Amino acid sequence: MQIRKIKKVIQAKPVIEGAGVRLKRVFGHPEVPEFDPFLLMDDFHSDTPEDYMAGFPMHPHRGIETITYLLQGSVAHRDSMGNEGRIEAGDIQWMTAGSGIIHEEMPEESKPGLWGFQLWANLPATHKMMPPRYQNIKAAEVPEFVPKAGVSIKVICGELADVRGPVQEIVTDPEYLDIRIGVEKVFEHRVKAGHTVFAYVIEGEAAFAEEASQYTPETLVLFDAGDVIRVRTGENPVRFLLISGKPIGEPVAWRGPIVMNTQAELDAALKAYQNGTFIEQV
Ligand code: MN
């Protein structure tokens, strides 16, 4: 059993997105293809409504899946498939844009503020134009798995022992875990060979692999090849997201919210959006 070493450490950086939302980008366009099958991850975390109230008004997506996991606050959502709802603390929205979706994501003013993550997972060429799909999972539907004393894992996507996350049938076979580890613990977690695996620290601190450095919130650790992720806490507990997926290994043509394989497909998407034929009529 080979413990995966740390390949890269990234600190999330402030950016302005949507209609003027101040958030932190963990990784994105410059990192392609290092996180394959993942394209982008944002951390929106603010107690100041001015940072997030502008939201993300109507915009298109094609060729990807967006996974939104909220820890605090709420986000109102509606889309071109007729879905309408609210993502609240602990909820997950797993949206497969496929051939095309137009939606808006509007944070609502709340105390103590807004905190959540949006991850973009790429789709392979065979699935880029699949029918759009939308899974809204409430916090209470997310099972918790306790592998040993002092470790608890919310299983959003994936299967641990006989605990199966509510998000299923995703092409890139992802695992999405929200893990809490108490003080002075060592935790090892088996991951699939060949999968891209990263941890994103959200509270406390921990050391990864066999290194001594402690990593703190808003830090991402990307792992090298191997079988097992190793995490060690000292005098503080930690909470982190552990995310993995099977690399697609195809060319990436990316413009804004649309990610295809070729420039011609991007041009076609843009033209369809301008023509009003972007959304396939049912
Ligand atoms: Mn969106």
Side-chain angles (χ1 to χ4, degrees):
M1 295 282 267
Q2 190 193 347
I3 293 171
R4 285 193 182 221
K5 292 187 165 66
I6 296 175
K7 185 178 182 187
K8 191 175 190 174
V9 176
I10 297 180
Q11 207 62 40
K13 292 171 198 70
V15 293
I16 297 179
E17 269 297 342
V21 178
R22 289 171 198 279
L23 50 82
K24 290 202 172 152
R25 174 132 313 149
V26 187
F27 63 88
H29 205 273
E31 282 75 31
V32 170
E34 207 164 21
F35 285 81
D36 185 12
F38 305 107
L39 295 161
L40 173 149
M41 185 166 161
D42 283 342
D43 178 350
F44 38 98
H45 191 183
S46 174
D47 302 342
T48 310
E50 295 75 48
D51 286 345
Y52 59 79
M53 287 302 286
F56 304 86
M58 283 295 175
H59 59 277
H61 287 289
R62 177 179 278 181
I64 61 168
E65 302 184 275
T66 67
I67 302 105
T68 308
Y69 179 34
L70 214 60
L71 300 185
Q72 284 177 6
S74 63
V75 176
H77 165 266
R78 65 193 171 100
D79 69 31
S80 52
M81 290 191 288
N83 296 305
E84 198 166 339
R86 179 172 282 109
I87 313 170
E88 294 174 311
D91 295 355
I92 298 112
Q93 184 206 69
W94 198 295
M95 194 273 291
T96 306
S99 61
I101 195 170
I102 298 175
H103 74 165
E104 68 171 18
E105 302 157 284
M106 303 301 287
E108 298 173 317
E109 188 166 344
S110 55
K111 286 196 169 101
L114 183 73
W115 191 13
F117 313 95
Q118 188 169 82
L119 177 71
W120 291 14
N122 206 357
L123 286 168
T126 50
H127 288 72
K128 284 214 177 275
M129 296 299 280
M130 72 184 279
R133 180 173 65 175
Y134 170 82
Q135 303 183 57
N136 192 20
I137 292 112
K138 302 307 288 178
E141 297 172 57
V142 180
E144 198 140 336
F145 175 60
V146 179
K148 63 188 232 184
V151 179
S152 81
I153 305 176
K154 283 188 182 176
V155 185
I156 292 164
C157 185
E159 209 170 339
L160 270 66
D162 56 350
V163 179
R164 202 167 173 210
V167 179
Q168 289 165 17
E169 292 169 40
I170 303 294
V171 191
T172 51
D173 193 18
E175 188 173 73
Y176 193 133
L177 309 173
D178 175 354
I179 304 180
R180 291 170 192 266
I181 303 177
V183 300
E184 309 281 353
K185 297 277 176 204
V186 174
F187 172 63
E188 290 189 350
H189 176 66
R190 185 88 196 242
V191 290
K192 289 181 181 163
H195 281 215
T196 300
V197 184
F198 66 87
Y200 184 64
V201 179
I202 58 179
E203 285 174 331
E205 59 179 8
F208 293 93
E210 285 161 307
E211 294 189 14
S213 305
Q214 296 275 327
Y215 294 102
T216 54
E218 302 186 352
T219 308
L220 176 145
V221 175
L222 176 67
F223 295 98
D224 230 322
D227 310 299
V228 168
I229 299 299
R230 188 172 194 269
V231 189
R232 188 167 43 80
T233 55
E235 58 188 16
N236 292 308
V238 71
R239 183 179 185 187
F240 64 102
L241 305 178
L242 187 68
I243 297 173
S244 69
K246 185 180 178 186
I248 295 170
E250 293 176 359
V252 172
W254 181 350
R255 190 191 293 145
I258 296 169
V259 187
M260 305 302 288
N261 296 113
T262 67
Q263 183 62 39
E265 289 168 341
L266 277 188
D267 294 344
L270 194 69
K271 197 172 165 191
Y273 190 57
Q274 286 161 349
N275 287 342
T277 56
F278 185 78
I279 301 301
E280 293 195 351
Q281 299 304 313
V282 183

